[in-house]
Amino acid sequence: MINKVLFLLSEGLRSLWRARLPALGSMLTITLTIMLFGGAYVLFGNFDRATRRLQSQYRIDVFFDPLLNNADAFVHYQKLKDIDGIASTEFISKERAAAIFEREFGEDVVSVLGTNPLPAGAIIHVARGYRTARRINRIADNIAAISNVTDVAYRGELVRILERYLRFAVYGGLVMGLLTLLGAIFLVSNTIRLSIYAKRETIETLSLLGASPAFIRLPFLVEGLLQGLLGSALAVGAILALIDVMNYVLEQFVLYRLIRPPQMALALIIFGVLLGIVGSARSIGKFINLRLLENR
Amino acid sequence: MIELRNVSLTYQRGPGVFDINFKINAGELAFLVGPSGAGKSTVLKLMYAELVPQEGEVEINGYITSRIRRNRIPGLRRTLGLVFQDFRLLPDRNAYDNVALPLHIMGLPHREIRERTYSALGDVGLSERVHHYPRELSGGEQQRVAIARAVVKNPDIILADEPTGNLDAATALETLDLLTYLAEDQGCTVVVATHDYTLMTKKRGRLIEISEGRLLD
């Protein structure tokens, strides 16, 4: 049995070598497909990480009517705690607001104006499960509906824009990946079909010598599998190299490094191998079955 | 043992064979003779289940081809040695690999494959041409490789379709000697389909004559 399997594997390799030019074409298409999917995967992993970082720092600043004193503002502040999606709240009295102002702008507003015009307010930290642009918007709307809240400030727009670009990049990558996926299946299938056609006499001879359909088909399946394996290995190498190059460039400008999503290489290689197998199985099923072995 | 009972088959595009009846016993050498288009190849194809009779039955090595399940046809063919006019050698493999192929199909161990392949090539006098590719061999040598490929699996039955059709007279006789040796000394049942009537006059064997798809009395 082992001898038979080794023989069939070597037949697959021999077949791949004989049809090396068309095989190279379909292998490179697999590489392109895997690179598009892998690129979308890397983008998704990194955008997701970046937005999570922003979201984890996320907070909502609430400002009450400047005419309210601290005690009245605190009464309204208590209502914030009833709103869904809030992890913690912090009351900012008028005096603390003035201290923050001084720290940020270097001016003591009370000594300049003789009075403290700054409103009391609150800092809201959003709960973990609510850190998406849509949910944060809803929390902000609920806060704004509380009486005597005059302003609600948050960086929701930035998150929203990031999410939109992330979605665009991932969907775009997936659509392009799907299109090349179809192309890759077609090309692998066509390469195997050419290989089957070139070997039609060999297939007939094998059949006459008593080879089972599985014995005849397996080398072609191995051929497709190897195309998928080599194509995806090339793609994974290219993606890893691109990540390194981009990190080198990014290092010059920002404090951000692209990460390699976990298990990426393995997932992409499995994907490539499956692609090769599906492509060859398509031709094997169609061509060997219908044209060569059903001559009875 | 091979037996055809009331076998008929008509091709879509023309005549086939009609009401064929004969029996070839184990160890017998039989010549199926007739002019081109008489139906000799059709009869052989019916024997190795390339074709299935529309009427009647073909029994070969215990298999009845009209009842055989599709997945058992390879098993039937593994018990047969087939030799063709155009040799059907794989052009990208040398003589050794061509002869070893049926043994790989049978899944034999590597050592046994090597021993049997060298032995079969030695039996047909090609020990010195083991690593030659078909294009490097003469027609007679190619046919001997094909015969070695047929006998390497120790088949009970050898079916040869015009095995001398592409060979000169001397080489044809050599090939025939080899097939006769397999029947007489090795106990194989050998069926040789040929249009060359002069050939069988040189050998002792049973004659089955066919013309226009029918057996002649």
Side-chain angles (χ1 to χ4, degrees):
Chain A
M1 186 62 190
I2 292 170
N3 284 327
K4 208 172 191 172
V5 170
L6 287 176
F7 176 77
L8 291 174
L9 286 177
S10 70
E11 286 295 297
L13 273 171
R14 186 200 287 252
S15 189
L16 185 70
W17 180 247
R18 269 171 58 107
R20 53 193 176 276
L21 268 182
L24 187 69
S26 54
M27 205 181 83
L28 290 177
T29 314
I30 289 178
T31 303
L32 187 65
T33 309
I34 301 290
M35 279 185 74
L36 283 169
F37 271 99
Y41 191 21
V42 171
L43 271 182
F44 178 78
N46 281 281
F47 263 102
D48 191 47
R49 179 165 151 258
T51 49
R52 271 177 201 282
R53 261 191 189 180
L54 272 175
Q55 287 163 359
S56 67
Q57 296 166 358
Y58 206 81
R59 70 178 209 191
I60 301 173
D61 292 326
V62 181
F63 301 95
F64 295 110
D65 187 335
L67 297 175
L68 291 182
N69 59 30
N70 282 337
D72 290 341
F74 194 77
V75 172
H76 294 293
Y77 163 75
Q78 294 293 347
K79 295 175 189 167
L80 292 172
K81 295 178 177 171
D82 298 334
I83 295 173
D84 269 352
I86 291 178
S88 64
T89 59
E90 189 182 344
F91 182 69
I92 307 293
S93 63
K94 289 169 79 76
E95 293 72 28
R96 187 145 169 239
I100 293 169
F101 185 89
E102 189 176 357
R103 193 172 66 230
E104 291 194 0
F105 298 103
E107 294 283 354
D108 178 2
V109 71
V110 179
S111 64
V112 172
L113 298 174
T115 178
N116 182 0
L118 294 173
I123 295 172
I124 309 287
H125 292 280
V126 177
R128 187 170 289 275
Y130 290 79
R131 288 174 184 168
T132 63
R134 196 167 56 84
R135 289 183 163 186
I136 291 168
N137 277 334
R138 196 182 300 151
I139 293 170
D141 288 346
N142 289 336
I143 294 170
I146 295 172
S147 57
N148 287 305
V149 169
T150 54
D151 199 8
V152 179
Y154 63 102
R155 287 184 286 176
E157 189 60 17
L158 184 59
V159 174
R160 203 175 59 76
I161 289 168
L162 265 176
E163 280 184 353
R164 196 175 65 200
Y165 281 120
L166 170 66
R167 204 173 303 133
F168 180 74
V170 170
Y171 288 163
L174 286 179
V175 167
M176 284 176 69
L178 275 175
L179 286 177
T180 50
L181 174 76
L182 293 177
I185 290 177
F186 176 76
L187 270 181
V188 172
S189 160
N190 217 34
T191 308
I192 301 292
R193 188 178 154 177
L194 282 175
S195 182
I196 289 171
Y197 187 74
K199 292 177 73 179
R200 63 197 182 281
E201 286 182 10
T202 300
I203 291 169
E204 281 175 12
T205 302
L206 284 170
S207 170
L208 292 172
L209 292 177
S212 64
F215 188 96
I216 293 171
R217 288 176 187 141
L218 201 69
F220 294 107
L221 211 57
V222 170
E223 196 180 332
L225 183 151
L226 287 173
Q227 284 178 23
L229 183 69
L230 295 173
S232 56
L234 199 65
V236 167
I239 288 172
L240 294 180
L242 270 175
I243 289 177
D244 283 348
V245 168
M246 287 180 77
N247 275 337
Y248 178 77
V249 174
L250 279 174
E251 270 171 13
Q252 318 295 319
F253 304 103
V254 288
L255 268 175
Y256 186 84
R257 282 180 65 80
L258 290 174
I259 51 150
R260 297 170 182 178
Q263 311 290 334
M264 180 194 75
L266 184 67
L268 292 181
I269 284 177
I270 289 174
F271 181 43
V273 166
L274 286 176
L275 194 61
I277 290 175
V278 167
S280 55
R282 188 171 165 264
S283 261
I284 291 166
K286 248 174 146 175
F287 201 63
I288 294 186
N289 263 345
L290 298 178
R291 302 286 296 278
L292 295 168
L293 295 179
E294 290 193 351
N295 50 4
R296 297 183 59 213
Chain B
M1 192 267 287
I2 305 167
E3 186 169 7
L4 278 76
R5 296 185 280 265
N6 308 314
V7 169
S8 293
L9 179 135
T10 312
Y11 289 111
Q12 277 182 342
R13 285 179 293 176
V17 291
F18 310 97
D19 198 27
I20 305 286
N21 283 284
F22 64 77
K23 183 177 177 181
I24 301 170
N25 293 313
E28 202 173 353
L29 170 66
F31 292 98
L32 187 61
V33 287
S36 295
K40 306 180 295 293
S41 294
T42 301
V43 171
L44 286 191
K45 283 178 179 174
L46 285 162
M47 289 179 185
Y48 57 80
E50 179 88 352
L51 297 170
V52 179
Q54 288 149 351
E55 285 175 39
E57 277 182 351
V58 177
E59 185 176 349
I60 181 162
N61 261 356
Y63 292 90
I64 294 177
T65 61
S66 49
R67 288 190 223 149
I68 192 171
R69 284 172 56 181
R70 202 178 131 92
N71 60 3
R72 297 196 65 193
I73 292 176
L76 160 66
R77 289 184 183 164
R78 269 174 245 157
T79 68
L80 307 175
L82 302 179
V83 180
F84 301 94
Q85 179 178 358
D86 56 359
F87 322 128
R88 282 187 178 267
L89 297 179
L90 306 190
D92 58 337
R93 280 145 221 255
N94 61 27
Y96 176 91
D97 287 334
N98 266 288
V99 174
L101 196 55
L103 306 180
H104 283 296
I105 290 171
M106 291 160 77
L108 297 186
H110 185 69
R111 181 184 285 183
E112 192 176 345
I113 290 176
R114 203 173 53 188
E115 284 170 4
R116 284 171 66 166
T117 302
Y118 278 116
S119 166
L121 281 164
D123 289 346
V124 297
L126 287 176
S127 298
E128 306 299 317
R129 314 285 275 170
V130 168
H131 299 297
H132 285 65
Y133 285 83
R135 63 178 178 278
E136 299 165 338
L137 299 169
S138 68
E141 286 172 327
Q142 287 187 56
Q143 193 57 294
R144 279 192 276 160
V145 173
I147 292 171
R149 185 181 63 185
V151 300
V152 75
K153 51 187 173 179
N154 298 329
D156 301 319
I157 296 172
I158 291 178
L159 305 175
D161 192 1
E162 298 280 7
T164 58
N166 279 340
L167 307 177
D168 60 62
T171 318
L173 198 59
E174 273 177 29
T175 302
L176 203 59
D177 283 341
L178 202 55
L179 292 168
T180 310
Y181 163 79
L182 291 169
E184 291 175 356
D185 291 32
Q186 304 288 312
C188 276
T189 307
V190 178
V191 181
V192 180
T194 178
H195 66 276
D196 188 354
Y197 282 84
T198 57
L199 209 61
M200 80 224 54
T201 57
K202 295 165 181 157
K203 292 290 163 195
R204 219 172 28 173
R206 181 171 158 203
L207 190 67
I208 301 170
E209 237 181 319
I210 185 167
S211 179
E212 294 180 351
R214 295 176 193 278
L215 288 189
L216 302 180
D217 290 333

